[in-house]
Amino acid sequence: MSTSIHQVAERAGVSIATVSRAFNTPDAVHSDTRERIAQVARALRYAPNRSASTLRSRRSRTIGVVLPTLLNPVFAECFEGIAQASCEAGYAIVPYTTEYDLERERRAIAWLRERSVEGVVLTVANAANSPLLAEITRAKLPYVLLYNRHQERPCVSVDQTAAVQESVTYLHDLGHTRIAMATGSLDTSDRAQQRYDGYAQGMRALGLTPLAAAEQPFMHANTDALNALLLQAKRPTALICSNDLLAVRALRTARTMEIDVPRELSIVGFDGIALGAELTPSLTSISQPNAEIGRSGVELLLAGRTPKPRDSITLAHALRLGETVAARTSQSSA
Amino acid sequence: MSTSIHQVAERAGVSIATVSRAFNTPDAVHSDTRERIAQVARALRYAPNRSASTLRSRRSRTIGVVLPTLLNPVFAECFEGIAQASCEAGYAIVPYTTEYDLERERRAIAWLRERSVEGVVLTVANAANSPLLAEITRAKLPYVLLYNRHQERPCVSVDQTAAVQESVTYLHDLGHTRIAMATGSLDTSDRAQQRYDGYAQGMRALGLTPLAAAEQPFMHANTDALNALLLQAKRPTALICSNDLLAVRALRTARTMEIDVPRELSIVGFDGIALGAELTPSLTSISQPNAEIGRSGVELLLAGRTPKPRDSITLAHALRLGETVAARTSQSSA
DNA sequence: GCCAATAATGTAAACGTTTACATTGTGAGC
DNA sequence: GCTCACAATGTAAACGTTTACATTATTGGC
């Protein structure tokens, strides 16, 4: 049986209250006593029982983490940041992945409440109509949104709209004018929507007409829309993808259609997953500081008072240059 | 304040014991009563307090999950399997990543003990000398190793040695004789070692002399050893990599050296990460059922009695054919 | 119609902490 | 030397469950 505070107290010749204080409010106990307790605790390999502590103090020192999936490296990278930050703060994590499934998202709240998390960092498909977010708000549980960007919510994200807009300008500077965008499902994902907005604004700012997004409904989607886009006579010479996984798929689609990247088609991804830089050709991508997003989210959540919309943090994005983008050449024009 | 069992009991006109039973041993309470309690509980949005339950029953319904990193998709895929299986069993997870750092591995045990996990599923660098594994054994904590393969430990894995051996044969059948292997750090990782053994055995079985492994010490390693290997006059025509991330890097190295894959060099990875199939060229890889490994590990752990070495499970691997392997041609010979 | 077995519920004592409050000892200020 | 403040510690009551044990119907066998 594992050792309890009583045995430490006895061996150290003090009451259990003093042992408890030695751990939680060290200044409240005499340094000699503290030292003695520390020694006994070490000798007995005493680890305070978290459940008892939580039960009595009503502080679980646990936060919920709800992400769509860990299979997308963006979220894996983010998760590592979250885990590291919360570990440093002595907080444990209750992870939950929704797999973009509304039913699972709905079930998350019970899972989290039951484990009495003190707060939640989460990414939802759409902040405007997320059942989970509604429940969290209703339960008055402190939370921070990651990646989602919403005026009336505390968020940690990059300015996705501006980021995509910049990349449009970048491509335009390289001579591209027929620039298209591939996204996930627009009405499911607010992020995809905001990224597309950046594209549209960027195009208009340059006096160009934005094209409709080539939407690919699901994660392992067919690439019909993209195929159609690239089959046109006057096909685009540059393609911005709303995430890196889509960009990888676009790379493959182009190869299948015998379109050379980047000579005939430039591709820009979004997310800046580490693996992108290792690919051949290496992916040009609007990179987000994923681990930092997770870390900041946790820090904001644990900062003290409940995070408010005005506490939202916008982190810096950067265009990570790779080998999938080239200046427009004569070949680019079909 | 969240609602407690007392309020449910009062509203349902029963004692708290009955409410408790209604949740934990439904058969022990009358169906009418059970129904009434269920209704009240729903109305009051009652969720039993896990800490109190754990404290009293000494069952935390929580398992520890220790993996090297989630940045390698192998482990992310595995983690999803773990999460799903434990969620279904009503178990929460305490995740911990070691980042291949011994100090972090050492700290894991305290982290887990403090949260009173009932068991652990884990992957260690080397099962033969892992401080964490030693501590877990010492604490008599039930555990299951994932990916690690060890006679005297309960493990869930594929037969890596056989898998690599088969891939050697496969390449040989395609005409390759100069087959090399790239690995991570051999004396750090027992998995890399076992995979290399499979290579060596495979070569000898074919009457060929195994080459020394091109070792790449760390995750973001330099590719010096690989470069040297490929710079030789009679360079290999096929390369087996001990994991997919290495294979991706090898792909890049080859491109840098203007060696065409697969015409001049065939590449086989190990792990079967989902992304590999999306790459261009798509990665030929010895694929493991990663989610299944995680899932089986959890199921074994929660099966009842403490898992024993003889409970170890070997899952099926498969050579996932991709575009990085071709039959040996005249060009293959330098 | 009585007894024993069984089903359904209640009572109350844990589980291992934290923490308000009480107690003691010590030195400073007068 | 008497108070007062303060530091250090102790006492004991929670926190919200589970569960051994006790109690009270209910049923069936005789």
Side-chain angles (χ1 to χ4, degrees):
Chain A
M1 194 68 359
S2 79
T3 89
S4 89
I5 200 174
H6 288 96
Q7 308 165 47
V8 177
E10 192 178 11
R11 282 270 283 262
V14 294
S15 75
I16 60 167
T18 301
V19 176
S20 175
R21 280 188 284 253
F23 278 86
N24 301 307
T25 51
D27 295 339
V29 348
H30 193 99
S31 55
D32 295 354
T33 318
R34 201 193 312 142
E35 184 56 35
R36 192 154 27 95
I37 291 174
Q39 272 181 14
V40 173
R42 220 171 310 124
L44 263 43
R45 316 187 129 252
Y46 167 68
N49 180 316
R50 221 72 180 188
S51 299
S53 164
T54 295
L55 178 58
R56 173 58 224 236
S57 68
R58 339 203 86 207
R59 302 206 50 197
S60 65
R61 288 165 190 287
T62 290
I63 59 175
V65 176
V66 181
L67 294 172
T69 176
L70 258 21
L71 266 27
N72 185 333
V74 188
F75 298 119
E77 291 175 15
C78 177
F79 188 85
E80 293 267 356
I82 292 169
Q84 210 180 318
S86 49
C87 177
E88 280 166 22
Y91 273 68
I93 273 174
V94 176
Y96 193 91
T97 55
T98 61
E99 312 292 344
Y100 294 107
D101 174 30
L102 267 193
E103 188 44 46
R104 279 188 60 83
E105 198 178 312
R106 224 177 292 274
R107 273 201 300 262
I109 188 70
W111 187 260
L112 297 175
R113 274 203 343 134
E114 213 167 303
R115 283 153 189 87
S116 48
V117 299
E118 290 178 26
V120 187
V121 292
L122 74 166
T123 299
V124 297
N126 190 331
N129 67 10
S130 162
L132 173 57
L133 194 51
E135 282 298 319
I136 287 178
T137 310
R138 177 177 197 297
K140 297 204 194 319
L141 209 51
Y143 70 91
V144 176
L145 285 171
L146 306 180
Y147 297 102
N148 298 107
R149 214 174 154 72
H150 192 280
Q151 280 289 359
E152 287 144 38
R153 309 279 189 183
C155 306
V156 177
S157 62
V158 301
D159 186 341
Q160 337 194 47
T161 307
V164 176
Q165 181 158 5
E166 286 163 24
S167 73
V168 171
T169 306
Y170 169 71
L171 290 168
H172 186 257
D173 287 348
L174 288 174
H176 295 277
T177 52
R178 293 210 302 284
I179 304 170
M181 179 143 190
T183 65
S185 171
L186 282 181
D187 46 67
T188 308
S189 163
D190 54 4
R191 280 163 292 144
Q193 182 67 60
Q194 287 167 11
R195 290 171 195 185
Y196 179 76
D197 287 349
Y199 160 76
Q201 287 172 29
M203 292 294 276
R204 289 204 197 87
L206 294 167
L208 301 170
T209 309
L211 304 173
E215 277 189 80
Q216 325 216 19
F218 297 99
M219 238 205 138
H220 293 287
N222 57 27
T223 52
D224 291 351
L226 185 54
N227 282 32
L229 185 72
L230 296 181
L231 275 173
Q232 297 173 84
K234 295 209 115 202
R235 65 166 188 248
T237 62
L239 178 69
I240 300 172
C241 301
S242 77
N243 68 61
D244 281 351
L245 257 29
L246 276 180
V248 167
R249 206 159 295 140
L251 225 37
R252 183 158 190 80
T253 303
R255 182 77 54 107
T256 308
M257 300 175 72
E258 301 193 326
I259 297 173
D260 187 82
V261 174
R263 202 169 45 83
E264 298 175 281
L265 179 68
S266 288
I267 293 181
V268 175
F270 197 117
D271 283 344
I273 63 178
L275 198 63
E278 310 258 13
L279 300 182
T280 26
S282 64
L283 201 58
T284 295
S285 180
I286 298 161
S287 83
Q288 313 186 75
N290 294 309
E292 187 60 25
I293 288 177
R295 165 171 287 282
S296 300
V298 171
E299 283 166 2
L300 182 53
L301 189 64
L302 301 181
R305 72 212 182 304
T306 306
K308 299 274 177 279
R310 67 166 173 284
D311 300 322
S312 290
I313 298 173
T314 299
L315 294 173
H317 58 265
L319 188 66
R320 197 182 62 199
L321 301 183
E323 300 158 350
T324 54
V325 169
R328 181 189 172 199
T329 61
S330 50
Q331 286 102 327
S332 307
S333 331
Chain B
M1 193 67 2
S2 79
T3 89
S4 87
I5 200 174
H6 289 95
Q7 306 164 49
V8 177
E10 192 177 13
R11 282 270 285 263
V14 295
S15 74
I16 60 167
T18 301
V19 176
S20 176
R21 281 187 285 253
F23 278 87
N24 301 308
T25 50
D27 295 340
V29 349
H30 193 98
S31 57
D32 294 357
T33 319
R34 201 195 310 143
E35 185 54 37
R36 193 154 26 95
I37 291 174
Q39 272 182 15
V40 174
R42 220 172 310 123
L44 262 44
R45 317 189 127 248
Y46 166 68
N49 180 316
R50 221 73 181 185
S51 299
S53 164
T54 295
L55 178 58
R56 172 58 225 238
S57 69
R58 339 202 90 211
R59 302 205 50 197
S60 66
R61 284 161 191 289
T62 291
I63 58 176
V65 176
V66 182
L67 294 172
T69 175
L70 258 20
L71 266 28
N72 185 334
V74 188
F75 299 119
E77 290 174 16
C78 176
F79 187 86
E80 294 266 356
I82 293 170
Q84 211 180 316
S86 49
C87 178
E88 280 165 21
Y91 274 68
I93 272 174
V94 176
Y96 193 92
T97 55
T98 61
E99 311 292 344
Y100 294 107
D101 174 29
L102 267 193
E103 188 43 47
R104 277 187 61 83
E105 200 177 312
R106 223 178 292 275
R107 274 202 299 262
I109 189 70
W111 187 260
L112 297 175
R113 274 201 346 132
E114 212 166 305
R115 283 156 188 85
S116 47
V117 298
E118 290 179 25
V120 188
V121 292
L122 74 165
T123 299
V124 298
N126 190 331
N129 68 8
S130 162
L132 173 57
L133 194 50
E135 283 296 320
I136 287 177
T137 310
R138 179 178 195 297
K140 298 204 193 316
L141 209 52
Y143 70 92
V144 175
L145 284 171
L146 306 180
Y147 297 103
N148 298 106
R149 213 173 155 72
H150 193 281
Q151 281 289 1
E152 288 144 39
R153 310 278 190 183
C155 306
V156 177
S157 62
V158 301
D159 186 343
Q160 335 194 51
T161 307
V164 176
Q165 182 159 2
E166 286 163 25
S167 72
V168 171
T169 305
Y170 169 70
L171 290 168
H172 186 256
D173 287 348
L174 287 174
H176 295 277
T177 52
R178 292 210 302 285
I179 304 168
M181 179 143 189
T183 66
S185 171
L186 282 182
D187 43 68
T188 307
S189 162
D190 54 4
R191 279 163 294 145
Q193 181 68 60
Q194 289 167 8
R195 290 171 194 187
Y196 179 75
D197 287 349
Y199 160 75
Q201 288 171 28
M203 291 295 276
R204 288 203 198 90
L206 295 167
L208 301 171
T209 309
L211 303 173
E215 277 189 80
Q216 324 216 24
F218 296 99
M219 236 204 140
H220 291 288
N222 57 26
T223 53
D224 289 352
L226 186 55
N227 282 32
L229 184 72
L230 296 180
L231 275 174
Q232 298 172 83
K234 294 211 116 204
R235 64 167 188 246
T237 62
L239 178 69
I240 300 172
C241 301
S242 76
N243 66 60
D244 282 351
L245 258 27
L246 276 179
V248 168
R249 208 161 292 139
L251 226 37
R252 184 160 188 80
T253 303
R255 182 76 57 105
T256 309
M257 298 175 75
E258 301 193 327
I259 298 173
D260 187 81
V261 175
R263 203 169 45 82
E264 297 175 282
L265 179 70
S266 288
I267 293 182
V268 175
F270 198 116
D271 284 344
I273 63 178
L275 198 64
E278 310 259 13
L279 301 182
T280 26
S282 64
L283 201 58
T284 294
S285 180
I286 298 161
S287 83
Q288 313 186 74
N290 294 308
E292 188 59 26
I293 288 178
R295 165 172 287 282
S296 300
V298 171
E299 282 165 2
L300 182 53
L301 189 65
L302 300 182
R305 73 213 181 303
T306 306
K308 301 275 177 277
R310 67 168 172 284
D311 300 322
S312 290
I313 298 172
T314 299
L315 294 173
H317 58 265
L319 188 64
R320 196 182 63 199
L321 300 181
E323 300 158 350
T324 55
V325 169
R328 183 191 172 198
T329 61
S330 52
Q331 286 102 326
S332 305
S333 332

